[in-house]
C-alpha cells in the first residue's frame, strides 16, 4: 500500500544534542581512509582557519540517519523498515562540523512517492549547533521495496 502523501512536510522534534568529539572524528576519518591532517591535528585545522579539528564531510550521516529513524519508526506513516534500503544521500554545508560542536537534527519528510510498487521517502535533516545556527542539511532517500507477490 502506498504511503500517505499527507505526511509530506511533517517535521519531527529535534534530537537530543550529540557532542562531537575529537576521537570520534579521528575514528571516522580512519574508518573511511581519509588522512587529511585537519581531521586529526588541531594545529593543522587551525592553520586552515578552523577553531579545532573538523570532521570529514560524511561524518554527520551517523547522526542524521539516526534522526531519520524517528520518521521510519512513526507507526502512523506505516513504512515497513524490513524492506527499506538506503537510496541516496546528499549534504549541503554552511560550515564544517568541528570537535566540540553540540548538534541536534530536525527531520522533515520532503517527499513521498510510489514507483513500481516501491515507496520512496525523502527526508531532510537540518543539523543545528548549540546556538541554533544551521551547520549542514542532509538529504536522505529511503526506498521501501515492494512486497513480493505470493506464488
Amino acid at each position: 500500500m502506498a504511503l500517505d502523501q499527507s505526511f509530506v512536510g511533517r517535521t519531527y522534534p529535534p534530537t537530543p544534542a550529540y557532542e562531537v568529539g575529537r576521537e570520534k572524528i579521528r575514528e571516522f576519518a580512519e574508518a573511511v581512509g581519509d588522512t587529511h591532517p585537519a581531521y586529526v591535528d588541531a594545529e593543522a585545522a587551525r592553520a586552515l582557519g578552523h577553531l579545532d579539528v573538523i570532521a570529514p564531510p560524511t561524518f554527520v550521516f551517523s547522526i542524521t540517519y539516526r534522526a531519520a529513524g524517528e520518521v521510519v519508526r512513526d507507526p502512523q506513516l506505516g513504512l515497513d523498515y524490513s524492506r527499506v534500503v538506503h537510496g541516496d544521500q546528499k549534504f549541503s554545508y554552511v560550515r564544517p562540523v568541528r570537535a566540540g560542536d553540540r548538534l541536534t537534527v530536525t527531520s522533515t519528510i520532503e517527499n513521498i512517492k510510489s514507483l513500481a510498487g516501491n515507496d520512496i521517502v525523502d527526508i531532510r535533516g537540518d543539523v543545528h549547533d548549540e546556538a541554533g545556527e544551521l551547520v549542514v542539511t542532509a538529504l536522505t532517500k529511503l526506498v521501501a521495496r515492494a512486497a513480493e507477490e505470493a506464488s
Side-chain angles (χ1 to χ4, degrees):
M1 179 188 307
L3 297 177
D4 186 346
Q5 289 290 317
S6 72
F7 278 76
V8 173
R10 180 174 286 195
T11 297
Y12 293 78
T15 61
Y18 173 88
E19 187 163 348
V20 178
R22 284 182 181 172
E23 186 63 13
K24 288 290 186 185
I25 292 172
R26 186 197 62 75
E27 289 171 351
F28 186 88
E30 184 177 283
V32 298
D34 196 329
T35 59
H36 195 289
Y39 303 151
V40 295
D41 180 354
E43 289 305 315
R46 285 186 196 101
L48 294 172
H50 303 291
L51 301 174
D52 203 335
V53 295
I54 59 171
T58 56
F59 177 86
V60 295
F61 175 77
S62 61
I63 62 173
T64 58
Y65 194 74
R66 191 174 322 139
E70 187 173 345
V71 175
V72 169
R73 290 185 302 275
D74 184 339
Q76 294 177 333
L77 178 61
L79 186 65
D80 181 356
Y81 189 70
S82 70
R83 300 190 176 286
V84 169
V85 294
H86 185 244
D88 193 19
Q89 188 70 52
K90 295 179 182 166
F91 301 100
S92 177
Y93 276 85
V94 175
R95 68 159 175 86
V97 170
R98 55 186 171 243
D101 277 340
R102 291 181 48 79
L103 304 174
T104 59
V105 183
T106 302
S107 296
T108 300
I109 298 176
E110 289 284 292
N111 193 28
I112 295 174
K113 66 182 175 182
S114 291
L115 184 62
N118 300 307
D119 288 317
I120 302 166
V121 181
D122 294 321
I123 303 168
R124 185 184 80 233
D126 292 318
V127 180
H128 292 90
D129 63 17
E130 229 173 354
E133 297 294 321
L134 182 65
V135 175
V136 59
T137 296
L139 300 173
T140 302
K141 184 179 296 291
L142 301 177
V143 180
R145 296 166 292 137
E148 293 183 26
E149 300 281 332
S151 301

